């Protein structure tokens, strides 16, 4: 079954990018572009006069750290759920 695709245009920084994506992912792509633009603006404002590459790297690092922290928190949540289930099973046996 063919996927429902579309091409969207996103503006990130001062550049325009066209992406062919599944229609169901459009909101995620637009939100990601908005997040990147907000981070770029914050670093540009906080550290004026730096090369664009520094703002881009700071933004990439910021977003990557958020992603990793979210994954760590998700992993911890899964571990706690498993421990809770094990604890419940042990309590039933005792």
């Amino acid at each position: 079954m063919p996927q429902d695709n579309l091409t969207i245009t996103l503006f990130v920084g001062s550049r325009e990018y066209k992406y062919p994506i599944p229609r169901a992912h459009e909101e995620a792509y637009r939100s990601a572009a908005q997040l990147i633009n907000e981070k770029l603006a914050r670093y540009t404002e906080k550290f004026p006069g730096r090369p664009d590459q520094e703002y881009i790297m700071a933004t990439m690092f910021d977003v990557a750290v958020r992603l990793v922290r979210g994954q760590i928190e998700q992993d911890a949540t899964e571990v706690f759920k498993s421990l809770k289930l094990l604890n419940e099973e042990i309590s039933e046996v005792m």
Side-chain angles (χ1 to χ4, degrees):
M1 178 163 114
Q3 190 148 6
D4 189 17
N5 292 324
L6 75 151
T7 299
I8 63 172
T9 302
L10 299 174
F11 295 90
V12 178
S14 61
R15 301 186 91 173
E16 176 182 310
Y17 299 92
K18 293 190 182 291
Y19 287 101
I21 61 165
R23 187 175 299 278
H25 298 174
E26 180 180 7
E27 184 177 340
Y29 275 79
R30 293 196 185 283
S31 294
Q34 180 179 351
L35 173 65
I36 292 168
N37 282 324
E38 288 169 0
K39 299 282 181 194
L40 279 171
R42 185 167 24 156
Y43 285 115
T44 301
E45 184 179 307
K46 191 171 182 176
F47 305 104
R50 305 265 175 106
D52 288 345
Q53 186 68 23
E54 286 189 32
Y55 301 130
I56 293 166
M57 288 304 297
T59 298
M60 287 175 42
F61 212 130
D62 192 321
V63 171
V65 167
R66 291 177 85 196
L67 177 66
V68 169
R69 286 181 61 202
Q71 185 62 49
I72 290 169
E73 290 171 10
Q74 182 179 357
D75 291 348
T77 299
E78 292 301 318
V79 168
F80 286 129
K81 284 181 185 177
S82 296
L83 289 173
K84 182 179 178 188
L85 288 173
L86 286 171
N87 189 37
E88 290 171 0
E89 288 178 14
I90 290 169
S91 294
E92 288 176 10
V93 178
M94 298 180 106

